[in-house]
């Protein structure tokens, strides 16, 4: 039987509680999750190991989440990106689209929405749905 490689997800938020909440929910889905509390930690994490998906808060100390995602789009260290913010406006959403950011999550967020969006972007079936892959004994 072939080994399955778990997809890697990076959560970047300067709020430790948000990082813990998202990391626990994402880990429960079977993904390998790392967290970063700053832009510096985030850059170090993806230099060490690229991520399949990154959820990045817009407002961080140091670089903005937008600047982080722009850099990752340029260097290809993160395949899929989600911007997370409590400060949504039409201009920000449009800037994210222009940059090619894959999704946008507003705080306060609904964990079910985050879960479904992540699964869709990573090409995974939602557990408990008809799309879920059956295990073959």
């Amino acid at each position: 039987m072939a080994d399955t490689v778990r997809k890697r997800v990076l959560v970047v938020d300067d709020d430790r509680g948000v990082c813990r909440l998202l990391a626990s929910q994402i880990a429960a889905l079977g993904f390998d999750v790392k967290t970063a509390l700053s832009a510096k930690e985030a850059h170090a994490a993806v230099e060490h190991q690229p991520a399949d998906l990154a959820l990045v808060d817009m407002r961080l100390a140091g670089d903005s989440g937008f600047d982080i995602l722009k850099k990752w789009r340029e260097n290809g260290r993160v395949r899929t990106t989600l911007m997370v913010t409590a400060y949504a406006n039409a201009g920000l959403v449009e800037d994210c689209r222009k940059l090619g950011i894959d999704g946008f999550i507003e705080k306060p967020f609904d964990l079910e929405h985050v879960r479904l969006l992540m699964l869709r972007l990573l090409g995974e079936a939602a557990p408990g749905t008809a799309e879920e892959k059956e295990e073959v004994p």
Side-chain angles (χ1 to χ4, degrees):
M1 178 178 266
D3 291 330
T4 51
V5 177
R6 294 187 330 166
K7 291 188 179 172
R8 291 177 297 278
V9 177
L10 176 63
V11 177
V12 183
D13 198 305
D14 53 2
D15 183 325
R16 191 176 305 274
V18 170
C19 277
R20 280 190 203 132
L21 175 65
L22 287 172
S24 69
Q25 296 295 312
I26 294 166
L29 294 172
F31 298 113
D32 178 23
V33 185
K34 303 290 183 223
T35 60
L37 297 171
S38 68
K40 183 178 179 180
E41 286 180 22
H43 289 305
V46 298
E47 283 304 315
H48 175 70
Q49 188 170 45
D52 295 298
L53 173 74
L55 291 90
V56 181
D57 188 29
M58 179 64 191
R59 292 196 179 179
L60 298 167
D63 289 343
S64 72
F66 189 81
D67 292 335
I68 292 169
L69 293 175
K70 184 176 179 181
K71 181 175 181 177
W72 290 345
R73 273 291 184 219
E74 292 168 357
N75 69 21
R77 299 299 291 176
V78 177
R79 186 175 58 95
T80 306
T81 54
L82 291 172
M83 178 66 72
V84 182
T85 186
Y87 307 97
N89 63 57
L92 175 62
V93 172
E94 184 59 28
D95 288 344
C96 289
R97 284 193 181 117
K98 286 178 183 175
L99 184 59
I101 293 171
D102 301 290
F104 195 83
I105 299 169
E106 283 189 69
K107 290 181 181 178
F109 47 80
D110 172 11
L111 287 173
E112 181 64 9
H113 170 72
V114 173
R115 181 182 80 87
L116 292 173
L117 181 58
M118 283 182 45
L119 291 171
R120 182 177 59 80
L121 290 172
L122 290 171
E124 301 285 327
T129 68
E131 296 175 21
E132 185 174 347
K133 297 174 186 170
E134 293 182 19
E135 282 190 25
V136 178

